[in-house]
Every structure is written in C-alpha cells, then in structure tokens.
Amino acid sequence: MSLHEREMEERKAQATGLSTALTGLRMAMDERAQGQMDLWDDWIKRPEFYPSARNLADYLSLAPGELAPFEAPFASFGISSLNRAEPHLRASIDAVLASLALISGQAVADYPPVEVFAAGPARLAARRGQMFGARRHAPHARIMASLGINCITTPPEGGEPRTAESYLRHLIGAGADALRIDLSSGGPEDWSGLAQMAREVAQDLGRRVPVQIDLAGPHCRVARMIGGHGRLRIGDRFEVVEKLVKGDVPRITLSQPAHWEALAEGCVIRINGGKLQGEVVRSGPDRVRVEVTATPPRGARLKPGMPVSLAGAEPELPPLGPEDLPALEVALRHADNLSVSLQTPKAVQAFFAELERLQPEGPWPVIILRIETAQAWHNLPDLIVATGGRCGVGVMISRPELALELGYARLSEVQDTIFWLCRAAEVPVLWAPGLMERLVQEGRQSRAEWNEAALSHPADCVMLEHGPHTIRAIGEMSEVLLRAERFMTRTSARLGGFVRWSA
C-alpha cells in the first residue's frame, strides 16, 4: 500500500469515527429536545410557531461544549463546522453526517432538502418585516426612531419651527423604518393622536412604518424613608424595613413587596441607577441591614422615589405596574408592537390574561420581550416560547439595565448569547437604547459611538432616542450599518453551549 493510499485509509477511519460520535450526539439531542418540547407543549397555541420552538429545543438540547470539539476536525475535511447552524441545527448535523458517510465510504444517507435550510431564515425575515418594517436598498438592520410628545416640534439649534406632521415626514423620509412613542410625557389622547398621525403620514409616503409602545412595568422604588438626610459613603450602613420606625441608621421601605421578600444575606441592592450600591450583611424577619459598597467620590444621597434593583435575587413581580393600564389600552388600539418587561413564564401567563380581559377576540400587537434583568435573561427561552406560542414575539436587549444588573464586563457576552438564542428561535432582536446619544442630543458623535453603532449590525432593528438631531442620526446610522454589512455576517457562534439554558 502506497503512502497516499495509507493516508486515505486513515482519513476514512477518522471520518467513520467522527460519524459515530456525531450520530450518538444527534440521538442524545433528539431525546433531550423532545423532553423540552413536552414541557413547552401546553404553551404553544399557534401551529405556525411550532417549527421555531422545535429548532430552539434542538439548540438548547446540546450540552455545553458538545459541538466545540468537532469544529477543527470538520474543517480539516472541508465540511461545515456547524458554527452558524442556529437557524437549522438538526438539518445541518444531518448534512454533515451525509458528507462523512460519503468520505468514509459508508452507505450514503440522504442530504436534507435545500428548502429546509431556507425555511428558518425566511420565517425570521418575514417576522422582521412585520415588526420593524421592510424596504429595499436599506440595511439589513432596521432603524427605529423614538418620538417624544414634548420634543417633536422642538427644532435643532438655529432651525426653523416645525409641525408634528412635517417632523414625521422628515423622520420617515430620512430612513426611519419603525417608530416608538415615548410615554414619559403627555397622556393617552396625545399618544393616540401621535400614533394615528404617524400611520397617516407613512401611508401618504407609500410606506408601512410599524409603531411601538413600551409599558413601564412594575418598577421598584424607595417608598418612604426616615433618618439620614446626608450623603452615604462606602462602609456606611442603612436598613430596609417592612414597617417604618426610627432606628440607629437610615431606614427605607420599598414599593414592591416582592423585592422586600427577596432580600437575603449576600444580595446586592442598587439604588438610583447604581449610584448607591450596597450588600445585605444581616437579614432579619422585619429588617435587613445593608452596607454601602460603592458610591461616587462625594457619596450618594438616599431619597424616596429612587429606583431600586437587586442582584443575586429573583423577585416574582406582577406583569403590569399601576400606570400601565392607560398605555396598554392605547397600544391595543394603535400599536403594532408592545414592549413589556416580563421576568418569568408565570408573568407571561398573567399578562395574556390581562390582554384577554381587555380584548378577548384579539388581534394583539406583537409582544416585544424587554430583557433588562438577569432574571429575564436566565428565563429567556421559556419567555420566548410562552409568548410566541400565543402571538408574534420579538426580543429587545435593554442594554443599560442589563449592564447594571450583570456588570459591564459581561454585557458583550450576554448580547451575543441573546443574538444566538434568538436566531435559533427565529425571533427578531431589537438593540436598544443608547446608540449615538451624543449625536442625537448635541449634533456631534464620539469615536466610541461610531464603533458601538457598527457592532449593532447583527440586530434586526436598532433604536435611536429622540432629540434635536435624530433625523441626522438616522442617516449616519444607516451608513454605518450598510458599511458594516459589506464585510460582516450577522453572527458566528462558537457553539460552546450555555449551562443556564441547556435542556
């Protein structure tokens, strides 16, 4: 036997070994995925979402790191390394097995039909167009522009006064594919009127521009306080109590009972966007003592009304806050998309119960799951299926809140895992907010903002906040996205697996 023939036999043996190992992995994947689908079965009421849920179950069924060892051997044979297989994982594995059978000289398995590989991306593209608009000669990632009631007629510095209608015409003409109505000002009549005007202007321009409304959700705040009107510094202590009575340190109560119940030793509490941060050092039946671990150099004040978040705890919150009902009623009449912050499948079910109460027959807007807490990120696969099984679903990466919850060091990792998971679930992703803030507000951009804008290209839609220079920012953002897409694909996962999400 010649050297060449011996090498060919070794390669065939290697292909046979890879095929055996991958076949075993494929069988284990089938078993785990079916178990996951059995758990989700009662949630899936829409048959059209079933293929997406099945592909997501396949993706989750791979134990952490199971595919990673195959990447280099597959590459040596010139076949798929499976690192872009999220939209069609089962078919991609079957295609690799067919190629290995050819190489090793075994009985050849049939390759999956080409249409199988196109079906998932086609569903994702259709959902992207439904949620965030569609137009030719535009970036893959759509651009969503925010509308504020109070700022819509405020011109840039030195500009001419403008009407709301003319501003909308310029905004859509500049390239806004979708619009978000900011509910921080105005009331239900203002929001309804703005949504209706946006539809009329878009129709007049021959465009379909979806409208999104965000529900604030049940945020926790400092409810009441007694004692300690000065600044707190690192090492100082305060207490969170169930009932407010005087003590030897400042004491506060919280607006959400669930947050109070979730406090335990070691839990990190962040107040006022993390400007004041502390760790629970002692927990009792009626009070919790917190030691301050981080403040600005001059210290930080503690006041009623400041927002509160917890790290290391997962409180069970209701789906809606007290101020959400008027906004929800407007959204059911006028919105294409409804953004909500839901933390658990139980909260999703409670939210749909409220939708059924208000609008029993439907149709409902597409639900955009706003991922802004560690708890929502941990529960993301279940949240997607529990929502998508009832109506259209998308995912919004609320980056500032996630960075606060999980730390800035983890933000890039978390964003990428959300992109990969949503590709497997065939669910569009909205990247928001904070892009090009300086350009939107001041008319000038920083180098960091340019880089961040380019990194947003894997998203299906990016959001720009409202400001004096939003129209200019839309044009700049569109150019950045187009240039980025010339040289980069959407995502390329390492397929290392995620322990928290494994089926």
Side-chain angles (χ1 to χ4, degrees), residues 159-481:
E160 294 293 326
R162 60 197 179 195
T163 65
E165 183 178 346
S166 67
Y167 178 71
L168 282 166
R169 287 183 177 277
H170 283 92
L171 200 67
I172 295 171
D177 299 290
L179 300 172
R180 167 185 169 265
I181 298 177
D182 186 349
L183 307 187
S184 61
S185 59
E189 290 187 4
D190 301 304
W191 308 331
S192 298
L194 189 54
Q196 187 62 34
M197 183 183 295
R199 281 193 200 290
E200 292 171 357
V201 170
Q203 186 175 5
D204 189 51
L205 293 174
R207 295 272 309 281
R208 177 184 173 271
V209 180
V211 173
Q212 178 169 311
I213 287 179
D214 298 353
L215 300 184
H219 293 293
C220 182
R221 299 185 179 276
V222 177
R224 298 173 61 200
M225 176 178 174
I226 191 168
H229 297 290
R231 293 180 179 272
L232 295 175
R233 291 175 171 78
I234 295 175
D236 289 343
R237 297 192 172 192
F238 65 92
E239 289 184 342
V240 185
V241 297
E242 189 173 16
K243 295 182 179 179
L244 201 63
V245 293
K246 287 185 178 181
D248 59 339
V249 296
R251 288 181 166 181
I252 63 172
T253 59
L254 302 180
S255 62
Q256 287 288 348
H259 277 65
W260 159 253
E261 294 166 2
L263 286 170
E265 290 186 16
C267 179
V268 175
I269 181 169
R270 298 188 178 101
I271 299 176
N272 198 21
K275 293 179 181 178
L276 175 61
Q277 181 171 301
E279 182 177 340
V280 176
V281 294
R282 188 167 70 242
S283 179
D286 58 355
R287 58 179 176 159
V288 168
R289 180 153 288 204
V290 180
E291 182 174 311
V292 177
T293 57
T295 69
R298 295 181 57 213
R301 294 188 182 277
L302 186 58
K303 296 180 179 179
M306 288 182 170
V308 176
S309 64
L310 304 181
E314 297 188 343
E316 184 70 46
L317 294 174
L320 300 174
E323 71 282 2
D324 286 330
L325 191 56
L328 178 56
E329 291 174 345
V330 172
L332 289 175
R333 292 197 306 270
H334 298 288
D336 300 280
N337 304 333
L338 177 60
S339 164
V340 293
S341 180
L342 302 171
Q343 315 302 314
T344 65
K346 182 179 177 181
V348 172
Q349 301 304 327
F351 181 70
F352 276 110
E354 187 65 20
L355 291 183
E356 289 172 339
R357 184 185 69 83
L358 292 173
Q359 197 160 296
E361 302 300 325
W364 300 324
V366 171
I367 304 301
I368 306 292
L369 296 167
R370 197 164 65 246
I371 307 304
E372 57 187 8
T373 67
Q375 185 180 11
W377 178 58
H378 293 155
N379 292 326
L380 184 54
D382 286 344
L383 296 179
I384 287 174
V385 177
T387 306
R390 299 289 302 275
C391 70
V393 62
V395 167
M396 172 177 164
I397 305 176
S398 193
R399 299 164 59 249
E401 289 80 7
L402 271 180
L404 183 63
E405 281 262 328
L406 298 168
Y408 284 93
R410 295 196 65 193
L411 184 58
S412 177
E413 164 205 349
V414 170
Q415 288 176 164
D416 284 345
T417 59
I418 292 175
F419 281 137
W420 298 334
L421 186 84
C422 289
R423 283 196 77 199
E426 302 162 1
V427 168
V429 176
L430 171 61
W431 172 303
L435 282 170
M436 289 191 165
E437 280 184 308
R438 181 179 292 183
L439 177 59
V440 168
Q441 299 300 333
E442 303 174 14
R444 57 192 181 93
Q445 62 273 45
S446 66
R447 181 169 54 191
E449 285 185 331
W450 280 113
N451 290 335
E452 187 181 44
L455 292 173
S456 70
H457 80 278
D460 295 279
C461 186
V462 297
M463 180 193 293
L464 297 176
E465 295 289 353
H466 56 73
H469 305 279
T470 300
I471 292 175
R472 177 187 164 193
I474 290 172
E476 300 280 10
M477 189 76 217
S478 182
E479 182 177 357
V480 169
L481 292 172

Side-chain angles (χ1 to χ4, degrees), residues 11 14-15 17-23 25 66-83 92-93 95-97 99-100 103 495:
R11 293 292 277 170
Q14 185 183 10
L18 285 171
S19 178
T20 301
L22 188 59
T23 298
L25 183 61
E66 280 189 318
L67 277 179
F70 288 92
E71 290 189 44
F74 286 168
S76 74
F77 281 103
I79 57 180
S80 172
S81 62
L82 297 174
N83 68 346
S92 296
I93 292 176
V96 170
L97 285 171
S99 294
L100 289 172
I103 295 169
L495 290 174

